[in-house]
């Protein structure tokens, strides 16, 4: 199996990298681009580069590359903040669009930030936070619900929701729906427009390889943009920032979701990284992803029978691009694997998580990872007392 697309990745020799769902690797070309931005645009151009290097257009330029990956018109995407801050902005905007409705629904097992931000918004706006059953989120949606906010692919289990069906189900009760696409964008086709999503957010440092802390994208359905009001009303969302006017007047469209000065270095790195998706058909990306996760599950079950519980759904329609294995000493398993050059990660309390990025992972990576996993278990390496205490970042 050859890597997809033309781009190459600067991965260290001898490493099998199965953690692109936490931090994507360095795309060749990013280093030179960043050097150029720092040396020429910033160093030489100084303040002139806001115009000469068109730094103000960076969010829109990056949106043009992300749009096709998530089924959005680039004009409906904005980049500039972390996923957490983007969640805050879109959640407040959603609730304001449903005056009289007092409930936000989220899953109890969602990524922490998603739940924390929802709780913060509920507190700020005097709303009820309602936890839904991840097996049936629509059961929690009724006529009191302003917003249902879900994560498309669960970060812990790798389980995937049916975006289209759930969105339609919530809309039938008049609720708005927000999708967090952090664990699906760049690993499979996503279609926010086709699913009729109202809002979406997504990370760019995972499968999009934008670099540590690269800014998230947010999507606002074009049907809602004229009414949607986000709460962080900074000068960059103003109709005319350099008029330095006293009163806030939002620009038309999704640009009103901007707040402050765009993170130029981070957006430049992301723009260069997204070249890796040039000419890559999304359907082929998904086919590859399923081939990799199918093979990993099959090999783990045949080579290491009854050692791990496979947490990730078998059903293709319900699976993201990762495989999560349950084991009481999962932390030690992951650390022992890393010592052998296979990098995955651990999620509390007992999950060893392996992300398969179809842009650069191959079936050879899968085979090597399982061989090393067999060696770890055979040598009881996961029980090493060195792994009894955890690192700060797991
Ligand atoms: C990675 C991830 C985030 C990260 O949020 P940041 O604010 O960028 O740190 C949020 N939500 C989900 C579901 C994630 O997977």
């Amino acid at each position: 199996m050859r890597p997809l697309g033309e781009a190459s990745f600067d991965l260290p020799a001898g490493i099998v990298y199965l953690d692109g769902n936490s931090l994507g690797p360095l795309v060749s070309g990013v280093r030179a681009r960043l050097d150029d931005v720092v040396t020429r645009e910033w160093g030489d151009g100084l303040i002139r580069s806001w115009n000469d290097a068109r730094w103000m257009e960076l969010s829109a330029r990056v949106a043009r590359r992300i749009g096709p990956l998530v089924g959005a018109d680039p004009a409906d995407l904005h980049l500039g903040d972390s996923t957490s801050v983007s969640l805050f902005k879109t959640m407040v905007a959603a609730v304001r669009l449903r005056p009289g409705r007092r409930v936000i629904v989220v899953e109890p097992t969602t990524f922490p930030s998603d739940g924390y931000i929802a709780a913060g918004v509920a507190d700020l706006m005097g709303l009820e936070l309602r936890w839904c059953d991840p097996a049936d989120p629509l059961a929690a949606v009724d006529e009191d619900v302003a917003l249902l906010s879900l994560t498309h692919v669960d970060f812990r289990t790798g389980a995937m929701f049916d975006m289209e069906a759930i969105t339609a189900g919530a809309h039938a009760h008049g609720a708005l729906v927000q999708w967090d696409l952090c664990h699906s964008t760049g690993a499979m086709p996503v279609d926010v427009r086709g699913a009729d999503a109202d809002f979406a957010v997504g990370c760019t440092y995972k499968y999009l390889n934008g670099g540590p802390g690269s800014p998230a994208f947010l999507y606002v359905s074009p049907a809602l943009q004229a009414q949607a009001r986000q709460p962080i009303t900074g000068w960059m969302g103003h109709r005319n920032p350099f008029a330095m006017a006293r009163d806030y007047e939002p620009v038309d469209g999704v640009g009103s979701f901007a707040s402050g000065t765009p993170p130029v270095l981070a957006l430049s790195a992301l723009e260069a990284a997204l070249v890796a998706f040039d000419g890559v058909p999304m359907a082929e990306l998904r086919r590859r992803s399923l081939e990799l996760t199918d093979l990993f599950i099959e090999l783990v079950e045949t080579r290491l029978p009854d050692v791990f519980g496979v947490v990730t759904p078998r059903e293709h329609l319900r699976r993201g691009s990762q495989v999560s294995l349950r084991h009481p000493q999962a932390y030690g398993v992951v650390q022992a694997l890393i010592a052998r050059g296979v990098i995955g990660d651990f999620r509390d309390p007992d999950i060893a998580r392996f992300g398969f990025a179809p842009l650069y992972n191959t079936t050879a990576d899968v085979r090597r990872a399982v061989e090393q996993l067999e060696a770890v278990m055979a040598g009881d390496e996961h029980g090493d007392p060195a792994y009894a205490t955890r690192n700060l970042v797991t």
Side-chain angles (χ1 to χ4, degrees):
M1 187 190 252
R2 285 169 40 77
L4 264 181
E6 300 298 318
S8 57
F9 291 82
D10 290 354
L11 277 162
I15 292 285
V16 174
Y17 195 62
L18 302 180
D19 216 357
N21 53 339
S22 269
L23 178 69
L26 180 60
V27 180
S28 311
V30 170
R31 206 189 297 266
R33 177 70 190 123
L34 267 186
D35 187 51
D36 186 50
V37 174
V38 169
T39 308
R40 192 176 53 81
E41 295 185 2
W42 178 15
D44 297 339
L46 294 166
I47 190 101
R48 294 168 290 193
S49 286
W50 282 107
N51 291 314
D52 297 347
R54 309 220 286 233
W55 284 344
M56 279 301 183
E57 294 167 19
L58 265 170
S59 168
R61 288 207 311 258
V62 172
R64 282 204 286 276
R65 292 190 168 276
I66 294 179
L69 307 183
V70 296
D73 185 327
D76 302 329
L77 297 173
H78 169 74
L79 289 101
D81 302 294
S82 65
T83 305
S84 302
V85 172
S86 303
L87 281 165
F88 177 75
K89 290 179 169 181
T90 49
M91 282 181 182
V92 170
V95 169
R96 285 172 161 176
L97 287 166
R98 287 291 178 271
R101 293 185 173 227
R102 311 305 306 161
V103 180
I104 302 178
V105 176
V106 288
E107 315 139 74
T109 49
T110 189
F111 190 86
S113 228
D114 298 56
Y116 301 161
I117 299 280
V121 169
D123 185 41
L124 184 74
M125 302 181 79
L127 309 171
E128 177 198 333
L129 181 65
R130 185 181 292 169
W131 303 104
C132 65
D133 177 357
D136 184 13
L138 286 176
V141 179
D142 56 26
E143 269 55 26
D144 296 328
V145 173
L147 175 69
L148 169 65
S149 181
L150 296 174
T151 299
H152 185 207
V153 172
D154 186 89
F155 78 104
R156 206 181 272 112
T157 63
M160 181 166 75
F161 281 126
D162 182 337
M163 263 178 76
E164 196 174 337
I166 291 176
T167 305
H171 281 172
H173 291 281
L176 294 169
V177 183
Q178 157 146 288
W179 289 99
D180 183 327
L181 305 172
C182 282
H183 282 275
S184 39
T185 309
M188 66 188 70
V190 176
D191 190 359
V192 288
R193 238 176 339 191
D196 199 19
D198 299 297
F199 295 90
V201 298
C203 202
T204 63
Y205 53 79
K206 292 170 181 163
Y207 291 108
L208 297 187
N209 315 304
S214 61
F217 64 87
L218 66 80
Y219 165 84
V220 183
S221 157
L224 301 176
Q225 285 172 22
Q227 286 82 41
R229 289 189 303 120
Q230 64 96 355
I232 307 179
T233 47
W235 72 312
M236 283 295 160
H238 194 275
R239 184 174 291 285
N240 187 0
F242 289 91
M244 308 277 177
R246 187 195 66 176
D247 296 323
Y248 182 73
E249 219 190 305
V251 66
D252 292 336
V254 80
S256 69
F257 277 71
S259 299
T261 304
V264 170
L265 300 183
L267 283 169
S268 301
L270 173 58
E271 186 182 27
L274 287 167
V275 168
F277 286 91
D278 279 358
V280 174
M282 295 309 281
E284 176 62 9
L285 202 72
R286 179 61 173 161
R287 199 193 60 69
R288 288 265 194 146
S289 158
L290 289 170
E291 185 180 345
L292 295 168
T293 51
D294 273 343
L295 180 64
F296 185 74
I297 293 172
E298 182 202 314
L299 290 177
V300 166
E301 293 199 319
T302 51
R303 304 274 184 79
L304 293 153
D306 305 321
V307 177
F308 296 100
V310 177
V311 177
T312 305
R314 315 293 165 120
E315 227 184 304
H316 284 177
L317 287 175
R318 295 202 52 236
R319 188 193 308 161
S321 199
Q322 73 187 56
V323 178
S324 298
L325 303 179
R326 181 163 276 145
H327 189 278
Q329 287 165 291
Y331 182 74
V333 170
V334 170
Q335 292 301 314
L337 269 177
I338 292 174
R340 287 177 163 274
V342 177
I343 302 182
D345 63 20
F346 164 79
R347 285 295 174 262
D348 219 29
D350 56 359
I351 302 272
R353 187 178 76 155
F354 303 94
F356 296 89
L359 268 192
Y360 52 86
N361 285 133
T362 61
T363 47
D365 289 339
V366 173
R367 292 181 194 284
R368 220 181 110 208
V370 177
E371 276 162 23
Q372 298 303 318
L373 187 57
E374 279 183 87
V376 163
M377 303 319 284
D380 197 24
E381 294 170 19
H382 56 293
D384 189 321
Y387 305 141
T389 51
R390 290 175 191 169
N391 288 330
L392 185 61
V393 176
T394 59

